[in-house]
Amino acid sequence: MIRRHPIRSALVLLLVLLLAWAWPNRAHLAAFPDIIGAYTAKEYCSCRYVSGNPAAYCEGYVKQYVPISSVLDDEGAKRVTATGLGRTHSAAWLGERQGCQLLPSK
């Protein structure tokens, strides 16, 4: 079969290797979608309310290769909510000494 279908054999081998790598790392892979939204919310909040940068600068600062669905900046409450890969996380500015902190997910 390998001589007749070398490309198909290589793809099957690649799939088996990918599954062999993914299985022991399944917990880490499952956590990845949460990391994207949480990172964006926390870093955007820190950029805006701790460092005092303008919104346009902070949008560029938190830009990643993985697209973010939305970033909502509530200036009145000093709270940022970010959605990425189907998961939503929020961070809020707590004060000068505490800075920004991720809020517990619901």
Side-chain angles (χ1 to χ4, degrees):
M1 174 168 160
I2 294 173
R3 284 188 177 182
R4 284 190 183 164
H5 305 286
I7 294 175
R8 188 180 301 168
S9 299
L11 288 175
V12 168
L13 179 63
L14 183 63
L15 180 62
V16 168
L17 291 173
L18 182 65
L19 289 173
W21 171 81
W23 184 254
N25 293 302
R26 64 189 178 277
H28 302 293
L29 293 170
F32 182 72
D34 278 315
I35 293 170
I36 299 301
Y39 169 83
T40 301
K42 171 70 171 63
E43 290 300 313
Y44 187 96
C45 181
S46 295
C47 180
R48 281 283 280 149
Y49 302 114
V50 175
S51 298
N53 293 311
Y57 174 81
C58 294
E59 287 173 15
Y61 179 74
V62 298
K63 192 169 180 81
Q64 303 176 47
Y65 289 109
V66 178
I68 298 298
S69 303
S70 68
V71 176
L72 303 172
D73 183 4
D74 182 359
E75 290 184 42
K78 293 188 176 180
R79 179 181 172 138
V80 177
T81 303
T83 302
L85 296 177
R87 309 279 174 91
T88 301
H89 291 276
S90 296
W93 185 73
L94 301 178
E96 269 188 48
R97 295 192 55 122
Q98 295 89 5
C100 286
Q101 186 176 49
L102 279 173
L103 301 174
S105 297
K106 295 176 183 176

